[in-house]
Every structure is written in C-alpha cells, then in structure tokens.
C-alpha cells in the first residue's frame, strides 16, 4: 500500500532497477528511489559510477534491464511511443555533452521544445529571446551553435532545458564549463524553477555547489544508490531512505 | 521577414540537404523516371496502335481460294468450287463467324480489271475466288490457328496474308506491351527500394539529431514529416530532370518512326493525354516517395525506444 501511494505521488519512482549495456555487467543494481514532486536533489558519485545512466532512465532514453521505472506515475515498461513522447515534453534535460544541434542557431536550438509541442511561432520568438537574454546570450541569438564557446553552448543547453517550464528538470554537470559567477546564477535559475514546482535532479562533481545549496544528495556507489540529507536539515521523510 | 525565416528553419532541424543519401536518391530517381517515361510512352504508343489495328482486323476477313490447275477448264472450275464449298462449310462452323459469302463473278472481275485491263477475257483465265467472312465483333479469333486449319481443309484455301501478318504483329505488340509493363513495375519497385534504403541510411546519419528530437518529446510523425518533405523535394527534382530528358528523347523516337514508310508505325502516335501522363510522372513519383519515406521512418523508429 505504501509503495503504491509512493508510486503515484512520485515524479520518479524506481524499484529493483538494474541496468546493463548490451551483454556487459550491471552498472546499476537494485536501485530504489522515490522523488517527490517539487523535490530538489543532487546526484553524485565517482566518474563512471552511473550518474548519466541513471538520469537517462529518468529522461526516458532507455528502459531498465530489470525492475520498474515510473515517471509521472506512468510505468515506462508499459508506455507506448506516443505516451513516452508526451511524458518527455514535461522533462527538461541538460546533457553533460550539451547535445545541441550544431548547424542550427542558438535561437533554433532553444526553440526546439516549443516547436515540437506545436507552439505558435510568435510566442516561440518572444519566449526564446527572453530566455536567451536571461542566460546572457542576447548577442548570440543568431549564432550557429558550433561557433559558440563551451560555456556559451552550456547556457544554450540550459536555456533549451528550461524554456518549456518542465515539471522535471534533469541536469548532468550543468555548470562544468562556466565561471563561478555564471554557475551560481544558473543554479539560482534551477532553484527558482524548483520554487515554482519543478522537480530537480542535478548531477555534479562540485562539492562547492553541493555545500552551498542545502539539498539532499543521491549518491551512487558500488552500483547502488544512497540518500544523504544535509546535516542541518531534519524535516525530511524517512521513507525516502534506502534501508 | 524574419519570422518566415525561422519558420523555414523549423522544418530543417534534420539537415538533409548536405546528405549524400539525398544526392544518391536524386540521381537514382532521375534515371528511373527517364526510363519510366520512355517505357510508358512505348506502352501508350502500342496501345493506340493496337486499338487502330484491332478496329481494322475485327469485323471481317477474306479467304482466298486458288484455282485448281487443269487443262480442262470446266473441270478445273468444278474442282475449285468443291474447294470453295468445303472451306465455306468449315468457316460457317467456326465460332465467331457470322456469315460467309463468296464474291460474285462480276465483283471478282471488277476487282481484277484494273490489273489486267479491258482487253483480257477473264473467263479464259483461272481466277482466284474470294470468300467474304463476316465476324462477330466480340469474337476472339485465333488467326494463326484458323489459317492452318483452312489450309488443312483445302489445299487451295488461304487466309488473307495481310490480315494474318497484322494479327501476328498484334500478338507481337501485345507481348511487347506486357514486357514493357513488367519493366515499368520493375523500375518502380527498384525506385521504391532505393527510397527505403536512402531513408534508412539517412536515418542512420542523423541518429544524433533524431535522438535529441525524441528526448525533447517529438513524436515519430514529427520526424517522419521532415523526412517525407525532404524526400518529396528530392523526388520532384529528380523526376523533373528525368522527364526533361525523356520528353525530347520520346519526341525524337516518334519522329524517327514516323519516317518509316508503311503507315503502320505512324499509327502509334501519342495523344495529348499520353503526353500529359508522361509529364505528370514527377508528381506521381513525388507522392510515392513522400509516402514511402514517411512509413520507412515510422517503421524504423519503432524499433528504437
Ligand atoms: N552507451 C554505453 N554503452 C556501454 N557502456 C556505457 C554506455 N554509457 C555508459 N557506459 C558505461 O557505464 C558506466 C557508467 O557510465 P556513466 O556515463 O553513467 O557514468 P557517470 O557517473 O555519468 O560518469 P561521469 O561522471 O564521468 O560522467 C561506465 O562504466 C561507462 O563506461
Ligand atoms: Mg556522466
């Protein structure tokens, strides 16, 4: 009973999840988690621990090899292709490697999620311009993405992830390529979104960011997941913890 | 101005322009359409020729009874008439034959007069007799078989050689047309296969962007439409090129065949409808290409997550 309510209330719900690539060994084993709507988590772990892999199941780029993953209450294993597409529209993703479309301008990259969801072109224009201005790229609106610097591309990637005001934001090392000032500004963007109700998961190596923002931490170690809560925060529910 | 620009870009997230599979397809389609157009012109020309010939071959035919050689003129005539009656009797029982009438002696003489002149007394000459055979319009008559049968019945009887020759030619043209139709379907099948292959190759080349579009929540139809549009443009350009080369070629062939004497091949002319059909091949190919690309994308993507 407890599990069922968990599943329905959770934005992300995983149970007994295992993931392997091809015929290799499991890189994630027996993952269990339940992320509540409006929560904010860091995702940590050594390089190669499986952070990107775990996120990729959350943004529905792959299904678990075993166990079940539910996103917005929908079990991924039972969703059809169009269901999955509709679920993905509620998710914003910042990729570790940006995954921008090189031959398009910054504007067109950021406009992508809006156009896919069929938004009117006039509104697309207004929202994209505002967004790019906010991340400090108003001068680069019509630049072809491949000509931008790493940090600029990262900001385009973030703008694209948040332009649709997603219900779930998944960011993989979103501040790895920008200066501290910009990193904090971008983190504050995520915090603002979170305050508006977006559930956020940010994978990062930066202890500085983690200590600066007091959020619980999903830590990957030995293929498993543990949750650590900030020392000064006691108001969190026990049921989220791994046994 | 700017707005239309960005709308245009919207359609090209998958940059299919610089795609080598697109060039392959364009060349492929232009060659296919060239062959298709010329073969189609052949089929249409044969059709018009066949309908002209068939009109003349249907309805009637003539059987010739050669006079029997005998020094005794009276006896010769008698024997010839025996052959004539035998043949008539047989013909009346052939399916599709409505009536058989021997040409009157006077008519025969009239027919021969221009060749022999007035001075010759026809009664003194052994004249071939002609049987006028009326056919049922809808009857399918095997002229070859009939010709053989008639010769069996009577050694003096033979089917009008022009008709026989025409019927052979019709059989040949008919076979040629069937062959051309097979060629048309082959060209068509190969082109469809090429479209499927090029689309799959292109999907592979653009996997990266397609993956991004999927993660942003694009449905397969969104991606399929982009491929469909692009393939349509390629097919139209390729098709237009193919037809542009085919039309003067067809025109030249038809001019050359008109120069052949005999008037038989000149009956194989192309009507305005035929030309219109040939000119609309690119449109036809464009539609086929768009539908094929669309469903190839959908089917291929369904195998991914
Ligand atoms: N597509 C793939 N095919 C095969 N193996 C993969 C694939 N992606 C990741 N792996 C393997 O899975 C393991 C986890 O990789 P993952 O990228 O999830 O780690 P990570 O925690 O994101 O690392 P980093 O901090 O360096 O980004 C690694 O051993 C990696 O080699
Ligand atoms: Mg990673």
């Amino acid at each position: 009973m407890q599990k069922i309510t968990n599943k329905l209330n959770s934005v992300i719900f995983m149970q007994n999840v295992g993931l392997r690539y091809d015929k290799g060994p499991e890189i994630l084993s027996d993952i269990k988690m339940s992320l509540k709507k409006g929560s904010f988590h860091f995702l940590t772990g050594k390089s190669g621990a499986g952070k990107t892999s775990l996120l990729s199941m959350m943004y529905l780029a792959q299904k678990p090899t075993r166990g079940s993953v539910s996103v917005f209450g929908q079990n991924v294993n039972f969703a059809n292709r169009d269901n999955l597409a509709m679920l993905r529209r509620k998710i914003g993703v910042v990729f570790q490697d940006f995954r921008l479309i090189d031959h398009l301008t910054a504007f067109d990259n950021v406009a992508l999620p809006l156009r896919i969801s069929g938004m009117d072109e006039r509104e697309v224009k207004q929202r994209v311009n505002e967004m790019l201005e906010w991340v400090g790229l108003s001068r680069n609106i019509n630049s072809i993405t491949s000509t931008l610097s790493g940090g600029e591309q990262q900001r385009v990637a973030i703008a694209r992830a948040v332009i649709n005001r997603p219900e779930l934001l998944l960011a993989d090392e979103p501040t790895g390529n920008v200066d501290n000032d910009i990193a904090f500004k971008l983190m504050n963007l995520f915090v603002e979104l979170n305050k508006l109700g977006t559930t956020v998961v940010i994978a990062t190596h930066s202890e500085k960011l983690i200590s600066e923002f007091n959020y619980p931490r999903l830590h990957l170690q030995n293929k498993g997941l543990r949750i650590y809560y900030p020392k000064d925060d006691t108001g969190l529910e026990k049921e989220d913890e791994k046994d | 101005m700017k707005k239309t620009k960005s709308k245009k870009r919207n359609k090209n997230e998958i940059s299919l322009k610089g795609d080598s599979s697109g060039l392959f397809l364009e060349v492929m389609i232009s060659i296919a359409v060239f062959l298709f157009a010329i073969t189609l012109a052949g089929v249409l020309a044969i059709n018009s020729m066949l309908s002209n010939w068939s009109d003349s071959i249907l309805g009637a035919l003539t059987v010739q009874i050669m006079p029997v050689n005998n020094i005794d003129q009276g006896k010769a005539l008698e024997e010839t008439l025996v052959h004539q009656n035998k043949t008539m009797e047989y013909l009346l029982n052939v399916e599709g034959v409505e009536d058989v009438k021997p040409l009157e002696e006077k008519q025969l003489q009239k027919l021969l007069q221009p060749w022999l002149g007035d001075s010759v007394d026809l009664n003194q000459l052994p004249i071939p007799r002609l049987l006028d055979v009326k056919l049922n319009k809808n009857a399918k008559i095997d002229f070859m078989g009939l010709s053989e049968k008639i010769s069996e019945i009577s050694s003096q009887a033979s089917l009008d050689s022009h008709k026989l020759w025409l019927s052979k030619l019709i059989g040949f043209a008919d076979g040629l047309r069937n062959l051309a139709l097979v060629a048309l379907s082959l060209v068509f099948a190969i082109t469809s296969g090429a479209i499927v292959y090029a689309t799959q190759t292109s999907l592979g080349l653009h996997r990266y962007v397609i993956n991004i579009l999927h993660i942003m929540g694009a449905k397969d139809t969104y991606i399929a439409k982009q491929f469909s549009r692009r393939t349509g443009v390629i097919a139209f350009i390729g098709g237009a090129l193919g037809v542009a080369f085919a039309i003067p070629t067809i025109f030249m062939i038809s001019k050359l065949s008109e120069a052949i004497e005999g008037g038989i091949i000149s009956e194989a002319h192309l009507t305005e409808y035929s030309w219109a059909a040939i000119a609309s091949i690119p449109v036809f190919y464009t539609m086929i290409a768009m539908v094929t690309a669309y469903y190839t994308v959908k089917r291929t993507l369904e195998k991914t997550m």
Side-chain angles (χ1 to χ4, degrees):
Chain A
M1 196 61 215
Q2 184 77 57
K3 272 173 189 167
I4 292 166
T5 44
N6 259 353
K7 184 175 168 179
L8 291 179
N9 293 333
S10 304
V11 171
I12 302 278
F13 183 80
M14 292 192 184
Q15 202 172 27
N16 304 326
V17 165
L19 180 72
R20 65 171 83 217
Y21 288 102
D22 301 319
K23 294 206 166 83
E26 271 195 339
I27 53 140
L28 295 171
S29 283
D30 297 317
I31 302 287
K32 179 182 159 190
M33 73 159 94
S34 166
L35 301 187
K36 291 219 152 42
K37 186 170 160 43
S39 61
F40 196 123
H41 291 86
F42 284 116
L43 175 60
T44 57
K46 277 192 291 207
S47 178
K51 299 181 293 297
T52 301
S53 304
L54 185 66
L55 287 175
S56 73
M57 285 190 285
M58 297 183 185
Y59 57 73
L60 308 171
Q62 52 187 343
K63 291 180 179 172
T65 352
R66 64 183 172 91
S68 74
V69 173
S70 295
V71 179
F72 301 117
Q74 164 83 60
N75 189 324
V76 169
N77 287 318
F78 304 129
N80 69 29
R81 295 181 65 74
D82 283 353
N83 282 159
L84 288 173
M86 295 318 284
L87 291 177
R88 286 177 184 127
R89 291 186 190 182
K90 301 199 270 181
I91 306 172
V93 190
V94 183
F95 297 93
Q96 194 167 13
D97 51 0
F98 314 146
R99 303 231 190 140
L100 298 172
I101 302 179
D102 278 349
H103 61 88
L104 296 184
T105 60
F107 182 95
D108 285 325
N109 268 288
V110 176
L112 207 52
L114 301 179
R115 285 171 173 163
I116 284 172
S117 58
M119 187 181 277
D120 177 65
E121 197 63 22
R122 198 181 308 162
E123 203 179 338
V124 168
K125 201 174 173 200
Q126 194 199 324
R127 276 177 65 171
V128 173
N129 283 336
E130 275 173 22
M131 187 72 229
L132 281 170
E133 204 165 308
W134 198 89
V135 295
L137 290 175
S138 40
R139 283 188 324 148
N140 305 84
I141 284 175
N142 290 315
S143 307
I144 298 297
T145 323
S146 53
T147 65
L148 298 175
S149 76
E152 285 164 343
Q153 291 190 17
Q154 189 152 46
R155 280 179 278 161
V156 174
I158 290 169
R160 183 182 65 182
V162 302
I163 188 81
N164 224 359
R165 292 175 201 143
E167 290 179 38
L168 172 63
L169 181 79
L170 304 169
D172 203 349
E173 290 291 347
T175 56
N177 289 272
V178 290
D179 308 334
N180 261 338
D181 299 4
I182 298 178
F184 276 87
K185 192 182 172 196
L186 291 174
M187 271 303 293
N188 279 316
L189 169 64
F190 300 147
V191 170
E192 287 307 315
L193 272 172
N194 178 243
K195 281 180 186 159
L196 293 171
T198 298
T199 308
V200 180
V201 179
I202 293 175
T204 184
H205 282 119
S206 165
E207 286 299 332
K208 199 156 181 271
L209 275 188
I210 295 167
S211 59
E212 197 79 28
F213 295 84
N214 265 337
Y215 290 118
R217 175 169 168 175
L218 305 165
H219 187 69
L220 281 171
Q221 199 171 11
N222 301 327
K223 304 177 184 181
L225 187 77
R226 282 191 147 278
I227 303 189
Y228 295 96
Y229 297 97
K231 291 178 193 85
D232 55 343
D233 193 340
T234 48
L236 285 149
E237 290 164 84
K238 275 264 190 290
E239 71 190 49
D240 271 346
E241 272 186 38
K242 201 186 169 182
D243 37 13
Chain B
M1 179 64 203
K2 248 193 177 169
K3 208 175 123 194
T4 51
K5 214 173 153 192
S6 56
K7 251 189 186 158
K8 226 183 196 172
R9 277 199 211 108
N10 179 22
K11 293 176 180 174
N12 284 335
E13 283 134 14
I14 304 168
S15 147
L16 297 163
K17 260 185 200 138
D19 190 324
S20 59
S21 70
L23 184 65
F24 157 76
L25 197 59
E26 201 168 295
V27 171
M28 173 83 200
I29 287 179
S30 66
I31 295 170
V33 166
F34 178 79
L35 294 175
F36 194 92
I38 287 176
T39 316
L40 182 66
V43 169
L44 294 170
I46 290 173
N47 269 348
S48 82
M49 187 159 73
L50 282 180
S51 71
N52 284 344
W53 286 350
S54 298
D55 283 346
S56 66
I57 221 173
L58 289 172
L61 86 104
T62 314
V63 173
Q64 198 175 32
I65 314 284
M66 291 306 284
V68 177
N69 269 330
N70 201 319
I71 306 162
D72 183 343
Q73 292 257 347
K75 235 185 174 175
L77 184 64
E78 216 170 90
E79 276 174 36
T80 308
L81 284 173
V82 169
H83 277 283
Q84 177 178 313
N85 289 337
K86 261 201 295 189
T87 313
M88 269 179 72
E89 209 172 298
Y90 168 73
L91 282 170
L92 279 167
N93 287 319
V94 171
E95 223 188 283
V97 173
E98 276 188 348
D99 196 14
V100 184
K101 259 191 212 145
L103 254 69
E104 302 275 320
E105 208 128 328
K106 271 181 200 159
Q107 281 176 287
L108 270 175
Q109 286 179 6
K110 243 191 208 162
L111 272 172
L112 290 170
Q113 212 168 21
W115 293 354
L116 302 175
D118 287 331
S119 55
V120 180
D121 182 2
L122 288 173
N123 287 324
Q124 299 304 308
L125 285 171
I127 308 168
R129 320 230 135 214
L130 296 177
L131 296 176
D132 198 7
V133 183
K134 246 198 178 155
L135 300 173
N136 184 333
K137 276 255 175 196
N138 301 316
K140 276 240 179 265
I141 297 208
D142 169 17
F143 290 96
M144 303 281 279
L146 190 63
S147 163
E148 273 170 29
K149 210 64 204 229
I150 286 170
S151 314
E152 260 174 49
I153 302 280
S154 150
S155 53
Q156 302 305 105
S158 64
L159 207 63
D160 172 357
S161 65
H162 177 69
K163 284 263 159 70
L164 194 59
W165 179 78
L166 254 184
S167 91
K168 276 182 188 168
L169 207 59
I170 284 181
F172 173 70
D174 209 35
L176 203 65
R177 181 179 53 179
N178 289 339
L179 204 68
L181 287 173
V182 169
L184 280 185
S185 353
L186 265 178
V187 168
F188 185 69
I190 288 169
T191 322
S192 306
I195 292 167
V196 171
Y197 171 75
T199 306
Q200 282 174 343
T201 308
S202 189
L203 277 170
L205 287 172
H206 299 285
R207 199 171 11 215
Y208 173 82
V209 174
I210 290 167
N211 191 30
I212 292 172
L213 293 176
H214 267 148
I215 287 170
M216 308 273 125
K219 292 184 182 175
D220 292 344
T221 48
Y222 183 89
I223 294 155
K225 273 181 199 158
Q226 296 201 16
F227 274 90
S228 174
R229 257 191 312 251
R230 182 66 198 145
T231 311
V233 171
I234 287 170
F236 190 77
I237 295 172
L241 269 170
V243 163
F245 281 106
I247 285 178
T249 311
I250 295 165
F251 197 72
M252 243 164 62
I253 294 172
S254 73
K255 277 283 165 230
L256 284 175
S257 63
E258 264 172 39
I260 298 173
E261 227 169 314
I264 281 160
I265 291 170
S266 65
E267 280 173 34
H269 69 279
L270 290 167
T271 61
E272 292 111 77
Y273 293 115
S274 305
W275 284 111
I278 290 164
S280 65
I281 294 173
V283 178
F284 168 71
Y285 260 82
T286 303
M287 281 175 353
I288 297 297
M290 289 184 79
V291 172
T292 307
Y294 186 87
Y295 285 103
T296 305
V297 171
K298 284 205 76 170
R299 240 182 317 135
T300 312
L301 290 181
E302 267 160 25
K303 290 174 195 151
T304 66
M305 180 177 170

